[in-house]
Every structure is written in structure tokens, then in C-alpha cells.
Amino acid sequence: MTALWTSTGLAMATGGAAFGDFAVGGVTFDSREVMPGDLFIALKGEQMDGHMFLPQAFAAGAAGALVADAARLPDADAPHVAVSDTFEALNDLARAARRRMNGKVVGVTGSAGKTGVKEALRLALERSAPGRVHASVKSYNNHTGVPLSLARMPEDSTYGVFEMGMNHPGELTALADLVRPHVAIITTIASAHRAFFDSEEAIADAKAEIFTGLQPGGTAVLNKDNPHYARLRAAAEAAGAAQIVTFGVASADADVRPLKIAPSETCTSMTADVQGERLTFKIGMPGEHWALNALGVLAVVKAVGADLGLAGLALGEMQGLEGRGKRTLIEAGGGMAMLLDESYNANPASMAAALSVLGGFETRRRGRRIAVLGAMKELGDETEAMHADLAGSIEAAGVAEAILVGPEMAVLARVLPARIPHHHVNTAEEALALVRGLVRPDDIILVKGSNSVGLGRVVRSLNRQGA
């Protein structure tokens, strides 16, 4: 196999000095993830210095390291590239990876749905270019995750798909400058990270920074159903987008729109008009938000020139990701219950969407809909109001019992109608104990909250040991 990087290539990309002749097949800055043949980058963070883990990285089979302090190598002869600053070197490596790749690159951002759309695009494009699609893993979408994802991109990739996130103005400008997408999509704008922004308009402006990195002739893909569409379009035009393609479920004049939608509790069938091409396909994930996401995916697929029909097949095979819609059956009181894992993150828009999905499931026999909802973080002055507003979505979903987790959920516990039994606790461990005492066969349990609440631990425990 062709090496991802050679020591000579690493030195040229970073301006460093190579010691030892080596080649690597992967890149990581987490010593726990090192696989034989990888490059380990010893990043120095605010609380941890990667140079401390050089012995572990080489013991795990690292072929070489990128270091700023060679004196901390486990062996003076350990193959490495020496640089003055490993974080800057990571960014240099990302730029070099982007320069040498001649395929099409897609940037994905938005207040909700980024990871799901990125994964759907990866699957859709893989059908057109098997083995030649590179995408960021997990939610590697920040100032370290994006350059790492770029550094991992093989030179011969036909497509690259990169998720980009932010919680402060200016962050996406820096990431877009690294990714330099040919196509940039904003999934939606909603009140996420409001603690750092004065308004949703300010969030829209920060998300629109993705367009500053668009390549000449590039395409902006915009959600026409979103109330900030006009603002985003103006930003894309100002940034020089050569084409603007719109998608929407409710916008009859969107470039990519549904002609017919047939939802069910486990999937959605759709016939869509994709800029004049008619496509009938199935989406393997339920919920109106996934119908909207799928239209955005198809808009991007067409913009990069990939096969729409094959993309439709890929959408039908989509399954939920861990923490983002994965469905599993767990043991419960001598029977089985369904667990909907949305535990990775939450904001008002994604919480409403997840509750809508829960409400779309038909309960069988004596099964009930149970919602385990964790606090939504970084909402600033809107925290109380936005948590209280969830009451309507909980009621509309037909929730039979709610477990509310975190101090921010106290206001929701106060405003929920008494006819909906609910419990307010402060920790994920307390929530788990309550779930185990409540769940019966045929119940459907939604678990959703901001990642820092720790509801992922609830999901993992239920999957291992049942309720």
C-alpha cells in the first residue's frame, strides 16, 4: 500500500527535520488510539502534554513521531520529525494534505445534524467512488479535529467530507481556510451555544464563515426552510459563491424538494425533485429532520457530480450512529424494550426533533414512551426559557414518563403538566437507577442531553445489562 506520509514528506510539509527514514499509514495525537504504523503527534495542550505519552505510543507500534521536545523520546534513535511547535505542525500537515488532493472537498456545518449529514454524505459518495472517500471520524470538528482529519486524507481521495463546528465567532473562518471546500452546506441555524452569542442572527453569521473558504467556482448549499436563509444567502454571495443551491421540505420553490413523503416509525420514503431530476428513495432514519437532511445530502451529491441514484440507495441503508439516533433492543422485565440513543448532544432544535421521532413510534401492547432528557448547555440567558419550552414537545410526543437530568431541568419539572409523571435528578447515575425501576417490556426509551451531562453512560449500561 502507498504510505500516507513518509518522513521526508512530513519534514517538507512541516518545515521540520527528519531523524530516521520511516513511513506511516495513519495519524493520531491520542496515544490510546495508536495503531501499528501510525504517526503520533505529541500535542501540548492546556492540561496535558503529548510528549508524556511518547513511550506508550512507540510501545503500541507507532512508526514515528512528530515532536517539539526530542529529549523526551523513549530512545534517542526513535524515528521522528522535530518541529518547533507540534500544533502548528499539525496545521501545516493539514494544509499539505489539502494541497496534494485533487478531488472534490465538502464542508459541513450547522447548529444540528452536522455529524449525521457528514456520515450520510460519506456513505452516498462511497457508492460512486468505492474506497476513495475520506471523511472526518466521530465529531472531529474543532481546531484539532479538523486538521487531524485533513492530515489523515490519502492523496488519491476522490472525495473528502469534513465536519466543522464552532462555539465562538471566527473559529469557522480558520477551519474553512484549512478545508477550502468546493461545496459547503449549512444544515440549519438554531439556538445552540447561545451563551457565546447575542442572537440567532449572530450564530448564523458565525456559521456563514464556512463560505470564506469556498474555492473559486464553489457551491453553497442552503436550507431554504430556515428563517435565516436570506442572511446566509447574502453571506454566501458576499464570499463569492458561484452557485447557491437550496433545499427544503416546506419551501415549494427550493431547488431540491420533496414531491411526495411517506413517513413511518422506522424510515421515510420520498420522491424528490433534485434540480430537475426525479428520484424515489428511502431514508433509513425516521423523522422530518432526516427528510430535510436527506435533501441537503442529495443537493451536495449533485453539486460534486456523483451518482444520485446510488446516493439514494445509500440513504436507505443508513442506521443511527452511537449517540445520534442508534436504535437497540434491551432486556426489560422478561421482555424487550427499544432504546433510542441520542445521548451525544442537545440543543432546543435537536431536542424537539428527537421528541418528534419518539412520538412517531407506535407503542405495542402496554408499552409506553419514556423520555430521559439531560440539560442543554451553553444557552446563556435563554437557559430557563428554552428548557421550559420543551414541555410542549414532550406532551406532543405522548411521553408517559419523563426523567429530567441536571439543575437546568428544574424549570421544566415545574412547568410540565401533572398528568405527565416526571422525576427531576441531578446526575446520570440517578437517572439510570430510575430507568431501571420504570422500564417495562415494549417500552420505548429516548435518551438525549448535552454530552457533558453524561447520559452516554446510561445508554452503555442499559445496552450491557438491560433495564
Side-chain angles (χ1 to χ4, degrees):
M1 292 179 64
T2 303
L4 181 64
W5 295 100
T6 64
S7 52
T8 301
L10 289 167
M12 290 179 62
T14 62
F19 294 86
D21 184 15
F22 63 93
V24 301
V27 181
T28 186
F29 49 65
D30 187 336
S31 62
R32 296 166 299 183
E33 295 181 355
V34 171
M35 301 292 289
D38 278 355
L39 172 73
F40 175 67
I41 302 179
L43 287 187
K44 186 174 183 179
E46 293 180 1
Q47 298 182 349
M48 198 69 69
D49 185 347
H51 291 84
M52 296 169 54
F53 303 99
L54 284 164
Q56 292 93 320
F58 279 102
L66 194 62
V67 302
D69 186 358
R72 300 175 72 178
L73 287 162
D75 185 317
D77 295 325
H80 67 280
V81 172
V83 297
S84 58
D85 185 308
T86 49
F87 178 73
E88 288 305 318
L90 172 61
N91 280 276
D92 289 337
L93 196 59
R95 294 185 186 95
R98 178 64 185 87
R99 283 194 302 270
R100 70 183 187 175
M101 185 267 202
N102 294 315
K104 294 290 182 69
V105 173
V106 179
V108 182
T109 194
S111 300
K114 294 185 295 296
T115 303
V117 166
K118 179 261 296 181
E119 282 298 302
L121 280 168
R122 179 184 65 80
L123 293 170
L125 295 173
E126 181 72 23
R127 288 296 190 104
S128 289
R132 293 185 179 271
V133 177
H134 176 75
S136 41
V137 299
K138 302 179 184 177
S139 288
Y140 282 14
N141 63 18
N142 64 6
H143 66 290
T144 54
V146 170
L148 176 66
S149 297
L150 281 163
R152 290 171 165 176
M153 179 167 60
E155 183 176 2
D156 62 352
S157 298
T158 301
Y159 300 109
V161 184
F162 298 93
E163 177 183 342
M164 290 181 268
M166 63 88 207
N167 55 20
H168 289 85
E171 291 177 340
L172 269 182
T173 298
L175 299 181
D177 182 61
L178 289 175
V179 174
R180 295 188 294 119
H182 297 94
V183 180
I185 178 173
I186 297 180
T187 58
T188 193
I189 300 297
S191 286
H193 310 301
R194 275 299 296 273
F196 309 115
F197 295 94
D198 294 333
S199 63
E200 274 195 7
E201 288 77 11
I203 294 172
D205 292 342
K207 292 293 185 184
E209 292 172 17
I210 192 173
F211 301 132
T212 63
L214 269 180
Q215 291 296 281
T219 300
V221 178
L222 298 177
N223 175 355
K224 201 164 190 182
D225 291 350
N226 192 267
H228 302 287
Y229 161 71
R231 192 179 192 93
L232 296 175
R233 185 181 185 102
E237 290 171 344
Q243 298 179 76
I244 296 176
V245 178
T246 62
F247 65 98
V249 169
S251 302
D253 58 345
D255 298 316
V256 183
R257 63 189 187 278
L259 300 175
K260 183 179 180 181
I261 299 180
S264 75
E265 65 178 27
T266 58
C267 65
T268 300
S269 297
M270 183 189 296
T271 297
D273 182 326
V274 185
Q275 293 182 277
E277 288 189 59
R278 181 175 291 218
L279 181 68
T280 298
F281 61 100
K282 185 177 78 171
I283 307 162
M285 298 288 290
E288 185 175 327
H289 63 297
W290 259 110
L292 183 65
N293 287 345
L295 294 171
V297 168
L298 293 175
V300 173
V301 168
K302 187 170 178 67
V304 298
D307 190 297
L308 280 176
L310 293 178
L313 292 174
L315 287 170
E317 295 176 356
M318 277 204 68
Q319 299 294 317
L321 304 171
E322 184 176 331
R324 294 181 174 86
K326 187 173 183 178
R327 305 189 294 269
T328 56
L329 292 176
I330 62 171
E331 293 183 2
M336 304 300 289
M338 180 183 289
L339 180 62
L340 307 180
D341 177 13
E342 288 277 2
S343 61
Y344 182 77
N345 222 334
N347 59 47
S350 65
M351 191 73 88
L355 285 164
S356 177
V357 169
L358 175 64
F361 277 89
E362 292 295 328
T363 54
R364 291 164 174 78
R365 292 183 285 274
R366 294 197 303 167
R368 304 158 299 158
R369 300 183 187 93
I370 296 174
V372 183
L373 306 178
M376 302 178 291
K377 301 293 187 177
E378 298 183 352
L379 296 180
D381 293 341
E382 301 292 324
T383 295
E384 282 210 355
M386 289 181 175
H387 282 83
D389 283 348
L390 294 177
S393 296
I394 291 172
E395 191 161 11
V399 171
E401 196 119 22
I403 299 172
L404 311 175
V405 190
E408 297 90 338
M409 280 291 184
V411 62
L412 179 56
R414 291 196 300 270
V415 302
L416 264 181
R419 63 180 174 274
I420 302 176
H422 54 276
H423 316 263
H424 178 227
V425 298
N426 283 321
T427 68
E429 287 69 28
E430 292 172 284
L432 177 60
L434 278 172
V435 171
R436 289 216 159 103
L438 287 173
V439 174
R440 304 193 300 242
D442 301 316
D443 283 348
I444 304 168
I445 310 106
L446 167 67
V447 181
K448 186 167 182 64
S450 286
N451 196 36
S452 60
V453 179
L455 295 186
R457 298 195 297 274
V458 173
V459 171
R460 289 190 290 273
S461 181
L462 291 174
N463 278 322
R464 283 196 308 267
Q465 301 172 8

